[in-house]
Amino acid sequence: VGYVIGLRVLRRRGDKWPVGRTIAWFAGLLFVVYATMGGLGVYSHIMFSAHMASHMGLSMLAPVLLVLGSPINLALRALPGPDSPGGDGPRQLLVAFLNSRWSRIVTNPAFATIFFVGSLYVIYFTGIYDWLMSNHLGHTLMELHFLLAGVLYYEVLIGSAPLPKRLPHLGRLALLVLVAPFHAFFAISVMTTTEVIGGSYYRLLDRPYASDLLADQNLAGGLTWALGEVPLLFVAIVVLVQWFRDD
């Protein structure tokens, strides 16, 4: 709704906004809906393989599209300024937030990368996953975390928001290459471990299909590997295109 309001403000003012950004934004939202409330979202509660497919979509695919939609830039152009000269309007408050100390910390490439990749190992290879899956709120918070972590990471890589500091394009490619092996190693670890991740939760379901939990987990690892590498390749192409345009 906020995005549509921003588009209407720009249109009434006679300003143009790239159609591709609008398409990317709403395509990202549609996938978020499918991964959380559609068929994939339903099965993500009862099958680990479906959960990991949903996870990859929320952290690797949807964030790329949402970031390419440039919602922060749209907000900066559409939000009103101060009512009086020298005052603080919504636009000034957003600019102040983007340049705040907190923003400088979370948009630091090192923090965004560790937050994006490190949370995989922390959530799935500790008892946190079992605890989060034990109630609906925990599962919802996990989905929100995946989405926000992905948006933050890809905003640092391919976003256009006026962040306090951005890496040069070569540094962004290096950051992308750095993440790939850690993600692949996580997927292989899921495939090869003999301990069922979230076993205490999935055994309670007593589902009549996919009853072999380790086989379903092996499938989850394969999906994680495949669904994770394709978006990374797409992002690498986007970085190269942005680099070419800037030059």
Side-chain angles (χ1 to χ4, degrees):
V1 171
Y3 202 93
V4 171
I5 292 174
L7 291 176
R8 292 186 63 185
V9 170
L10 264 61
R11 185 177 181 181
R12 286 198 301 264
R13 204 164 58 202
D15 291 346
K16 293 183 178 180
W17 182 256
V19 176
R21 291 185 177 183
T22 303
I23 294 174
W25 173 260
F26 285 103
L29 287 184
L30 283 175
F31 193 86
V32 171
V33 170
Y34 176 66
T36 56
M37 294 181 284
L40 183 59
V42 172
Y43 280 96
S44 69
H45 289 268
I46 53 179
M47 293 177 64
F48 187 62
S49 56
H51 167 84
M52 291 307 297
S54 173
H55 171 183
M56 288 299 103
L58 288 173
S59 64
M60 305 287 284
L61 177 59
V64 175
L65 297 171
L66 294 176
V67 167
L68 291 177
S70 302
I72 296 177
N73 291 44
L74 178 61
L76 288 171
R77 292 179 59 181
L79 286 173
D83 295 331
S84 58
D88 286 332
R91 184 187 302 122
Q92 284 70 27
L93 293 176
L94 178 56
V95 171
F97 172 77
L98 291 173
N99 290 288
S100 66
R101 187 175 182 179
W102 185 85
S103 177
R104 292 176 184 273
I105 293 174
V106 299
T107 59
N108 182 286
F111 178 89
T113 303
I114 293 173
F115 187 63
F116 180 67
V117 180
S119 59
L120 287 174
Y121 294 86
V122 173
I123 290 176
Y124 291 103
F125 293 146
T126 64
I128 295 179
Y129 179 73
D130 296 70
W131 177 72
L132 290 173
M133 289 297 291
S134 63
N135 61 84
H136 183 71
L137 178 60
H139 189 265
T140 303
L141 291 176
M142 185 163 41
E143 292 175 328
L144 182 61
H145 164 80
F146 293 147
L147 182 63
L148 293 179
V151 167
L152 178 61
Y153 176 70
Y154 288 117
E155 179 61 50
V156 170
L157 284 181
I158 59 174
S160 56
L163 300 181
K165 184 178 180 180
R166 280 197 178 276
L167 286 173
H169 291 92
L170 183 60
R172 300 181 199 182
L173 282 175
L175 198 62
L176 194 62
V177 172
L178 178 66
V179 163
F182 285 100
H183 185 269
F185 181 76
F186 168 78
I188 294 173
S189 300
V190 172
M191 293 173 67
T192 56
T193 183
T194 57
E195 182 179 352
V196 178
I197 299 173
S200 60
Y201 168 76
Y202 290 111
R203 291 188 184 97
L204 289 174
L205 300 179
D206 193 25
R207 61 195 185 214
Y209 50 87
S211 56
D212 189 338
L213 297 182
L214 275 179
D216 186 59
Q217 183 169 295
N218 183 270
L219 174 61
L223 289 171
T224 301
W225 199 350
L227 296 177
E229 298 305 313
V230 174
L232 290 178
L233 176 61
F234 175 72
V235 171
I237 295 173
V238 172
V239 173
L240 290 173
V241 171
Q242 290 177 341
W243 194 353
F244 175 78
R245 286 181 175 178
D246 284 351
D247 284 349

